[in-house]
Amino acid sequence: MKTAFRDIRDELRRRIIANEWPPGGLIPNEVDLCAEFNCARATVNRAMRELAEEGLIERRRKAGTRVRDVPRKQATFEVPVVRKEIEARGSRYQFTLLSREAMPAPAWLCARLEIPDNSPVLHLTCLHCADGHPYQFEDRWINLKALPQAKQADFSNVGPNEWLLATVPYTDAQISFGALNSDPDLAHHLGCKAGDALFVAERMTSFQDEPITYVRMIHQRGHQMTMRY
Amino acid sequence: MKTAFRDIRDELRRRIIANEWPPGGLIPNEVDLCAEFNCARATVNRAMRELAEEGLIERRRKAGTRVRDVPRKQATFEVPVVRKEIEARGSRYQFTLLSREAMPAPAWLCARLEIPDNSPVLHLTCLHCADGHPYQFEDRWINLKALPQAKQADFSNVGPNEWLLATVPYTDAQISFGALNSDPDLAHHLGCKAGDALFVAERMTSFQDEPITYVRMIHQRGHQMTMRY
DNA sequence: TGATGTTTATCGTCTATACAAAATATCTGC
DNA sequence: GCAGATATTTTGTATAGACGATAAACATCA
């Protein structure tokens, strides 16, 4: 495989990390680098574009390209799907629907999803287990105005998470991480003690400005979410 | 600005979201799309490459391009720098060094950083405040073998986080999120109650396989970390 | 049948060239 | 000296053409 642009990108990155081109300083322009690497400008352009996306350099027309003073490092992670998470650990996945109720949305949910007061929603709670041990408690709310078919859906075999993924796409999502003291009910389901600190991920998705669902995923005690970058 | 590749990318995305091209299905090849959009193949290629990076489609030579059955959505977030976080909220940032001690690394840290037993490390604890209120407790360990100059550094004005960012680059990093019950000492520093659930971010960075630092950032009660995607 | 070699469609990358857009630098008139 | 117009430099994007790499599909032979 041709790898010119990769080689150039890596060499430029090396020079930056090795401080041959100090932070804040200008680096040679595309035409000069073409000459040095003996290649077309498009090739240098692609190498530099990737470094810019990485956050290592900053490019501006006419002003040239400079090394960022503090690299804008960004981490990326795949949005977790609990069944895959569990199966990736080599454990058996199991899912239990704990409760299901159609109801008018409580005020806090209306505020969060920006839907009118008392909009009809479906409230589900479920437990995801790994090898029989509780792994995650899912507290899900589905906007029935956007997704009336959820009312008829059977969530006893396929969890709402996967049902939603298969049923509706989403165009916008927001995810938050935080911590929560377990209440006695949660403790009972997850098999921990009331008061234990639990890691919580919240997710809200919408499709073209129509809110779809809000979910709180409360993890077993000690759970960590890790990513490299 | 010319926006052909953007327009094409967005139109292809629209078709996928609108189910005109069903999940798992093949989409037309580059040459056909060139004909449809009346542009060069490189332009279609760039549009499709971006969609592939987004995780919406999957491309393989000879096999063509198909819509992913479950879109591999990935969120990206900037690696947090506490001072900027606080200033972005419009609050006044303040930093206090609580303790500082050079010592041999405890066993758990050696295991984590993969350094030899009893390697010399510098242990620092500090408190970051927003408008005078505790915001984050920082528990940091610096590998003195990799960074002997840390021993002389003065951390009373510039926090270790920013000192490190300015002093050494890193080539690899790992970040984890989790939850923790506050102990009485933490509760005292953060002004919460012992037992409160706190959100914790852990970070480990290394430079070319040499571990640099390990840090636990323990946030105030109720703290959430949010990102859109 | 099954293993192995061959063809071929499709994506991946590179080149050379061109023009556009943005932002700095320079000039002009006052 | 200053405001505004103009020139210039650098990056951003597009085009047409070319060849390479990969893996599926097909053909051949043991």
Side-chain angles (χ1 to χ4, degrees):
Chain A
M1 172 81 77
K2 297 262 181 144
T3 56
F5 84 86
R6 261 179 267 275
D7 293 346
I8 295 172
R9 178 195 62 193
D10 293 348
E11 168 61 14
L12 300 182
R13 193 196 286 115
R14 188 197 64 74
R15 291 184 191 176
I16 292 168
I17 288 174
N19 247 304
E20 293 178 29
W21 288 331
L26 271 178
I27 76 181
N29 69 35
E30 296 189 348
V31 176
D32 292 349
L33 288 172
C34 294
E36 176 185 346
F37 292 109
N38 191 31
C39 68
R41 189 165 76 88
T43 306
V44 168
N45 183 276
R46 172 125 187 227
M48 303 247 275
R49 182 151 41 80
E50 296 209 347
L51 291 178
E53 277 164 14
E54 266 178 45
L56 219 55
I57 60 179
E58 213 172 9
R59 321 196 67 199
R60 262 161 61 221
R61 285 162 167 156
K62 165 74 183 178
T65 301
R66 49 183 68 245
V67 180
R68 292 186 82 112
D69 1 4
V70 295
R72 174 185 55 81
K73 286 268 187 170
Q74 50 184 24
T76 74
F77 61 94
E78 276 196 41
V79 174
V81 177
V82 62
R83 183 170 63 78
K84 292 196 176 177
E85 245 176 79
I86 288 175
E87 288 171 354
R89 307 193 327 173
S91 300
R92 185 173 48 87
Y93 172 69
Q94 199 186 346
F95 155 79
T96 317
L97 183 63
L98 298 174
S99 75
R100 172 194 184 121
E101 183 184 7
M103 58 193 283
W108 63 268
L109 184 63
C110 294
R112 242 179 221 272
L113 291 181
E114 297 175 1
I115 52 178
D117 283 2
N118 298 313
S119 301
V121 294
L122 183 63
H123 180 209
L124 303 161
T125 59
C126 5
L127 191 64
H128 302 272
C129 294
D131 287 336
H133 302 296
Y135 180 88
Q136 182 194 99
F137 179 88
E138 174 177 350
D139 181 18
R140 182 174 293 272
W141 304 77
I142 298 175
N143 179 11
L144 285 174
K145 176 149 168 285
L147 263 185
Q149 65 265 48
K151 216 163 181 172
Q152 275 76 46
D154 172 22
F155 293 115
S156 49
N157 293 313
V158 176
N161 195 355
E162 299 187 56
W163 182 83
L164 282 162
L165 276 175
T167 307
V168 281
Y170 54 94
T171 50
D172 289 291
Q174 186 182 305
I175 194 163
S176 308
F177 302 122
L180 175 77
N181 283 107
S182 177
D183 64 31
D185 188 46
L186 256 178
H188 169 251
H189 287 304
L190 287 174
C192 63
K193 293 196 298 290
D196 278 352
L198 305 177
F199 176 65
V200 184
E202 279 183 18
R203 209 156 86 89
M204 221 190 75
T205 65
S206 47
F207 179 67
Q208 287 162 2
D209 293 328
E210 175 85 278
I212 302 280
T213 184
Y214 167 77
V215 59
R216 290 203 314 168
M217 295 162 281
I218 301 162
H219 289 81
Q220 182 54 282
R221 195 163 67 90
H223 180 87
Q224 283 202 326
M225 185 175 159
T226 297
M227 65 215 82
R228 314 185 68 84
Y229 58 96
Chain B
M1 173 83 78
K2 298 255 178 147
T3 57
F5 84 86
R6 265 179 261 275
D7 293 346
I8 294 172
R9 179 196 63 193
D10 294 348
E11 168 61 13
L12 300 183
R13 192 195 286 114
R14 188 198 63 74
R15 291 184 192 177
I16 290 167
I17 289 173
N19 248 302
E20 293 177 29
W21 288 331
L26 271 177
I27 77 181
N29 68 36
E30 296 188 346
V31 176
D32 292 350
L33 288 172
C34 292
E36 176 185 345
F37 291 109
N38 192 30
C39 69
R41 188 166 77 88
T43 307
V44 168
N45 183 277
R46 171 128 189 223
M48 303 248 274
R49 181 151 42 82
E50 297 210 346
L51 291 178
E53 277 163 16
E54 267 178 44
L56 220 56
I57 61 180
E58 213 172 9
R59 319 196 69 197
R60 263 158 62 218
R61 285 164 168 152
K62 164 74 183 179
T65 301
R66 49 182 69 244
V67 180
R68 292 185 84 112
D69 1 6
V70 294
R72 174 183 55 83
K73 286 269 187 170
Q74 50 185 21
T76 73
F77 61 94
E78 275 197 41
V79 174
V81 176
V82 62
R83 183 171 61 80
K84 291 195 177 176
E85 245 176 80
I86 289 174
E87 288 172 353
R89 307 192 327 173
S91 300
R92 185 173 48 87
Y93 171 69
Q94 199 186 347
F95 155 80
T96 317
L97 182 63
L98 299 174
S99 75
R100 172 195 184 122
E101 183 184 6
M103 58 192 284
W108 63 268
L109 184 63
C110 293
R112 241 180 222 270
L113 291 182
E114 298 173 3
I115 53 178
D117 282 3
N118 297 314
S119 300
V121 295
L122 184 63
H123 180 209
L124 302 160
T125 60
C126 4
L127 191 64
H128 302 272
C129 294
D131 286 337
H133 302 296
Y135 180 87
Q136 181 193 100
F137 179 87
E138 175 178 348
D139 181 18
R140 180 174 296 270
W141 304 77
I142 299 175
N143 178 11
L144 284 175
K145 175 150 167 284
L147 264 184
Q149 66 266 47
K151 216 162 180 172
Q152 275 77 45
D154 172 23
F155 294 115
S156 50
N157 293 315
V158 176
N161 196 355
E162 299 187 55
W163 182 83
L164 282 162
L165 276 175
T167 307
V168 282
Y170 54 94
T171 50
D172 290 290
Q174 184 182 305
I175 194 163
S176 308
F177 302 122
L180 174 79
N181 282 106
S182 177
D183 63 32
D185 187 49
L186 256 177
H188 169 251
H189 287 305
L190 288 174
C192 62
K193 291 197 298 293
D196 277 353
L198 304 178
F199 176 65
V200 183
E202 278 182 19
R203 210 157 86 89
M204 221 191 74
T205 65
S206 47
F207 179 66
Q208 287 161 2
D209 293 328
E210 177 82 280
I212 302 281
T213 185
Y214 166 77
V215 60
R216 290 203 313 167
M217 295 162 280
I218 302 162
H219 289 82
Q220 182 53 282
R221 195 163 66 90
H223 180 87
Q224 283 202 324
M225 184 174 159
T226 298
M227 66 215 83
R228 314 186 68 85
Y229 58 96

